[in-house]
Short mmCIF file of all heavy atoms in Angstrom, two decimals:
data_model
loop_
_atom_site.label_atom_id
_atom_site.label_comp_id
_atom_site.label_asym_id
_atom_site.label_seq_id
_atom_site.Cartn_x
_atom_site.Cartn_y
_atom_site.Cartn_z
N LEU B 956 7.29 -33.84 -16.38
CA LEU B 956 8.63 -34.26 -16.31
C LEU B 956 8.95 -35.07 -15.00
O LEU B 956 8.32 -34.76 -13.97
CB LEU B 956 9.55 -33.00 -16.23
CG LEU B 956 9.48 -32.14 -17.52
CD1 LEU B 956 10.10 -30.74 -17.21
CD2 LEU B 956 10.24 -32.79 -18.62
N ASN B 957 9.70 -36.09 -15.13
CA ASN B 957 10.10 -36.92 -13.93
C ASN B 957 11.51 -36.53 -13.54
O ASN B 957 12.40 -36.42 -14.34
CB ASN B 957 10.06 -38.34 -14.33
CG ASN B 957 10.20 -39.25 -13.12
OD1 ASN B 957 11.08 -39.18 -12.32
ND2 ASN B 957 9.30 -40.17 -12.95
N LEU B 958 11.60 -36.29 -12.24
CA LEU B 958 12.95 -35.90 -11.68
C LEU B 958 13.81 -37.03 -11.24
O LEU B 958 15.00 -36.75 -10.83
CB LEU B 958 12.69 -34.96 -10.57
CG LEU B 958 11.95 -33.71 -10.88
CD1 LEU B 958 11.76 -32.83 -9.67
CD2 LEU B 958 12.66 -32.92 -11.96
N GLY B 959 13.41 -38.20 -11.32
CA GLY B 959 14.30 -39.34 -10.91
C GLY B 959 14.39 -39.42 -9.47
O GLY B 959 13.72 -38.78 -8.67
N ASN B 960 15.39 -40.24 -9.01
CA ASN B 960 15.52 -40.45 -7.52
C ASN B 960 16.22 -39.43 -6.81
O ASN B 960 15.97 -39.22 -5.57
CB ASN B 960 16.29 -41.83 -7.32
CG ASN B 960 15.37 -43.00 -7.84
OD1 ASN B 960 14.16 -42.96 -7.85
ND2 ASN B 960 16.08 -44.03 -8.32
N ASP B 961 17.01 -38.70 -7.48
CA ASP B 961 17.85 -37.68 -6.72
C ASP B 961 17.11 -36.45 -6.38
O ASP B 961 17.60 -35.62 -5.55
CB ASP B 961 19.13 -37.33 -7.59
CG ASP B 961 19.94 -38.50 -7.99
OD1 ASP B 961 19.77 -39.52 -7.27
OD2 ASP B 961 20.62 -38.44 -9.00
N LEU B 962 16.00 -36.19 -7.06
CA LEU B 962 15.34 -34.87 -6.87
C LEU B 962 13.94 -35.16 -6.30
O LEU B 962 13.47 -36.21 -6.25
CB LEU B 962 15.17 -34.18 -8.26
CG LEU B 962 16.59 -34.14 -8.92
CD1 LEU B 962 16.40 -33.83 -10.46
CD2 LEU B 962 17.44 -32.97 -8.25
N ASP B 963 13.39 -34.06 -5.78
CA ASP B 963 12.24 -34.23 -4.94
C ASP B 963 11.17 -33.13 -5.18
O ASP B 963 11.43 -31.89 -5.00
CB ASP B 963 12.70 -34.04 -3.48
CG ASP B 963 11.58 -34.14 -2.47
OD1 ASP B 963 10.51 -34.63 -2.89
OD2 ASP B 963 11.84 -33.81 -1.34
N VAL B 964 10.01 -33.52 -5.65
CA VAL B 964 8.92 -32.53 -6.06
C VAL B 964 8.19 -32.06 -4.82
O VAL B 964 7.38 -31.14 -4.99
CB VAL B 964 7.94 -33.07 -7.17
CG1 VAL B 964 8.71 -33.30 -8.46
CG2 VAL B 964 7.25 -34.25 -6.65
N THR B 965 8.41 -32.79 -3.71
CA THR B 965 7.58 -32.35 -2.52
C THR B 965 7.94 -30.99 -2.01
O THR B 965 7.14 -30.34 -1.27
CB THR B 965 7.79 -33.36 -1.34
OG1 THR B 965 9.17 -33.40 -1.02
CG2 THR B 965 7.25 -34.73 -1.64
N ALA B 966 9.07 -30.54 -2.45
CA ALA B 966 9.54 -29.13 -2.03
C ALA B 966 8.88 -28.03 -2.86
O ALA B 966 8.97 -26.85 -2.64
CB ALA B 966 11.00 -28.96 -2.16
N PHE B 967 8.15 -28.38 -3.96
CA PHE B 967 7.62 -27.48 -4.92
C PHE B 967 6.25 -26.86 -4.29
O PHE B 967 5.39 -27.59 -3.90
CB PHE B 967 7.21 -28.09 -6.26
CG PHE B 967 8.40 -28.52 -7.10
CD1 PHE B 967 9.64 -28.73 -6.50
CD2 PHE B 967 8.22 -28.69 -8.43
CE1 PHE B 967 10.75 -29.12 -7.30
CE2 PHE B 967 9.32 -29.07 -9.20
CZ PHE B 967 10.61 -29.27 -8.72
N LEU B 968 6.20 -25.49 -4.30
CA LEU B 968 5.04 -24.76 -3.71
C LEU B 968 4.34 -24.08 -4.81
O LEU B 968 4.94 -23.66 -5.78
CB LEU B 968 5.53 -23.81 -2.61
CG LEU B 968 6.12 -24.40 -1.37
CD1 LEU B 968 6.64 -23.24 -0.57
CD2 LEU B 968 5.12 -25.23 -0.59
N PRO B 969 2.99 -23.96 -4.61
CA PRO B 969 2.26 -23.14 -5.68
C PRO B 969 2.80 -21.74 -5.66
O PRO B 969 3.13 -21.17 -4.72
CB PRO B 969 0.86 -23.17 -5.12
CG PRO B 969 0.90 -23.68 -3.73
CD PRO B 969 2.13 -24.46 -3.50
N GLY B 970 2.85 -21.23 -6.90
CA GLY B 970 3.40 -19.87 -7.12
C GLY B 970 4.85 -19.97 -7.56
O GLY B 970 5.36 -18.99 -8.13
N GLN B 971 5.53 -21.17 -7.35
CA GLN B 971 6.92 -21.20 -7.69
C GLN B 971 7.01 -21.60 -9.23
O GLN B 971 5.95 -21.97 -9.78
CB GLN B 971 7.59 -22.23 -6.83
CG GLN B 971 7.82 -21.72 -5.39
CD GLN B 971 8.78 -22.75 -4.67
OE1 GLN B 971 8.45 -23.80 -4.57
NE2 GLN B 971 9.77 -22.20 -4.17
N PHE B 972 8.16 -21.54 -9.67
CA PHE B 972 8.40 -21.90 -11.09
C PHE B 972 9.69 -22.67 -11.24
O PHE B 972 10.47 -22.77 -10.31
CB PHE B 972 8.34 -20.64 -11.99
CG PHE B 972 9.52 -19.68 -11.76
CD1 PHE B 972 10.54 -19.63 -12.56
CD2 PHE B 972 9.45 -18.76 -10.69
CE1 PHE B 972 11.64 -18.78 -12.38
CE2 PHE B 972 10.51 -17.92 -10.49
CZ PHE B 972 11.62 -17.86 -11.37
N VAL B 973 9.94 -23.18 -12.46
CA VAL B 973 11.22 -23.85 -12.78
C VAL B 973 11.80 -23.13 -13.97
O VAL B 973 11.01 -22.60 -14.80
CB VAL B 973 11.09 -25.36 -13.02
CG1 VAL B 973 10.50 -26.01 -11.87
CG2 VAL B 973 10.26 -25.58 -14.29
N CYS B 974 13.05 -23.27 -14.18
CA CYS B 974 13.61 -22.86 -15.45
C CYS B 974 13.96 -24.05 -16.24
O CYS B 974 14.55 -25.06 -15.69
CB CYS B 974 14.91 -21.99 -15.28
SG CYS B 974 14.43 -20.26 -14.93
N LEU B 975 13.77 -24.07 -17.52
CA LEU B 975 14.37 -25.04 -18.42
C LEU B 975 15.48 -24.42 -19.22
O LEU B 975 15.35 -23.25 -19.65
CB LEU B 975 13.29 -25.65 -19.38
CG LEU B 975 12.05 -26.24 -18.79
CD1 LEU B 975 11.19 -26.90 -19.88
CD2 LEU B 975 12.45 -27.34 -17.74
N ALA B 976 16.52 -25.18 -19.46
CA ALA B 976 17.58 -24.67 -20.35
C ALA B 976 16.94 -24.58 -21.70
O ALA B 976 16.18 -25.49 -22.11
CB ALA B 976 18.75 -25.59 -20.43
N PRO B 977 17.24 -23.45 -22.51
CA PRO B 977 16.70 -23.32 -23.83
C PRO B 977 17.11 -24.47 -24.75
O PRO B 977 18.26 -24.97 -24.66
CB PRO B 977 17.26 -22.00 -24.33
CG PRO B 977 18.47 -21.82 -23.53
CD PRO B 977 18.25 -22.43 -22.17
N LEU B 978 16.21 -24.90 -25.56
CA LEU B 978 16.48 -26.12 -26.44
C LEU B 978 17.21 -25.61 -27.68
O LEU B 978 17.91 -26.38 -28.36
CB LEU B 978 15.19 -26.83 -26.83
CG LEU B 978 14.48 -27.46 -25.61
CD1 LEU B 978 13.15 -28.08 -26.09
CD2 LEU B 978 15.35 -28.52 -24.94
N ASP B 979 16.98 -24.37 -28.11
CA ASP B 979 17.68 -23.81 -29.30
C ASP B 979 19.13 -23.47 -28.83
O ASP B 979 19.27 -22.58 -27.94
CB ASP B 979 16.91 -22.57 -29.72
CG ASP B 979 17.56 -21.81 -30.91
OD1 ASP B 979 18.68 -22.33 -31.32
OD2 ASP B 979 16.99 -20.84 -31.37
N PRO B 980 20.17 -24.03 -29.55
CA PRO B 980 21.48 -23.81 -29.04
C PRO B 980 21.90 -22.38 -29.19
O PRO B 980 22.85 -21.98 -28.50
CB PRO B 980 22.36 -24.73 -29.99
CG PRO B 980 21.46 -25.47 -30.85
CD PRO B 980 19.97 -24.99 -30.62
N SER B 981 21.25 -21.52 -29.98
CA SER B 981 21.66 -20.16 -30.12
C SER B 981 20.93 -19.28 -29.13
O SER B 981 21.19 -18.04 -29.10
CB SER B 981 21.41 -19.65 -31.53
OG SER B 981 20.02 -19.45 -31.74
N SER B 982 20.19 -19.90 -28.22
CA SER B 982 19.52 -19.16 -27.16
C SER B 982 20.50 -19.07 -25.95
O SER B 982 21.25 -19.98 -25.72
CB SER B 982 18.27 -19.78 -26.69
OG SER B 982 17.24 -19.54 -27.66
N THR B 983 20.44 -17.96 -25.19
CA THR B 983 21.36 -17.81 -24.13
C THR B 983 20.72 -17.59 -22.77
O THR B 983 21.33 -17.73 -21.82
CB THR B 983 22.09 -16.46 -24.33
OG1 THR B 983 21.19 -15.40 -24.54
CG2 THR B 983 23.07 -16.52 -25.48
N MET B 984 19.38 -17.44 -22.73
CA MET B 984 18.69 -17.17 -21.54
C MET B 984 17.76 -18.41 -21.03
O MET B 984 17.29 -19.18 -21.85
CB MET B 984 17.86 -15.93 -21.64
CG MET B 984 18.72 -14.71 -21.67
SD MET B 984 18.01 -13.09 -22.19
CE MET B 984 16.33 -13.16 -21.84
N ALA B 985 17.70 -18.52 -19.69
CA ALA B 985 16.78 -19.60 -19.17
C ALA B 985 15.38 -19.32 -19.54
O ALA B 985 14.96 -18.23 -19.87
CB ALA B 985 16.89 -19.53 -17.67
N ARG B 986 14.55 -20.40 -19.62
CA ARG B 986 13.14 -20.26 -19.94
C ARG B 986 12.33 -20.71 -18.69
O ARG B 986 12.27 -21.82 -18.28
CB ARG B 986 12.84 -21.25 -21.07
CG ARG B 986 13.54 -20.84 -22.41
CD ARG B 986 13.23 -19.44 -22.77
NE ARG B 986 13.53 -19.11 -24.17
CZ ARG B 986 14.60 -18.45 -24.59
NH1 ARG B 986 15.64 -18.23 -23.84
NH2 ARG B 986 14.68 -18.09 -25.92
N PRO B 987 11.62 -19.62 -18.09
CA PRO B 987 10.83 -19.87 -16.88
C PRO B 987 9.44 -20.42 -17.19
O PRO B 987 8.75 -19.88 -18.11
CB PRO B 987 10.87 -18.56 -16.19
CG PRO B 987 10.87 -17.51 -17.35
CD PRO B 987 11.71 -18.24 -18.44
N PHE B 988 8.99 -21.33 -16.33
CA PHE B 988 7.68 -21.90 -16.52
C PHE B 988 7.02 -22.13 -15.09
O PHE B 988 7.66 -22.71 -14.21
CB PHE B 988 7.65 -23.28 -17.30
CG PHE B 988 8.10 -23.13 -18.67
CD1 PHE B 988 9.38 -23.40 -19.02
CD2 PHE B 988 7.19 -22.73 -19.69
CE1 PHE B 988 9.85 -23.22 -20.35
CE2 PHE B 988 7.60 -22.62 -20.95
CZ PHE B 988 8.99 -22.82 -21.36
#
Side-chain angles (χ1 to χ4, degrees):
Chain B
L956 297 168
N957 189 306
L958 298 182
N960 295 329
D961 302 337
L962 306 165
D963 180 16
V964 296
T965 58
F967 290 22
L968 294 173
Q971 289 188 304
F972 66 99
V973 301
C974 278
L975 301 187
L978 297 174
D979 177 358
S981 78
S982 287
T983 54
M984 289 167 24
R986 295 308 196 261
F988 295 95

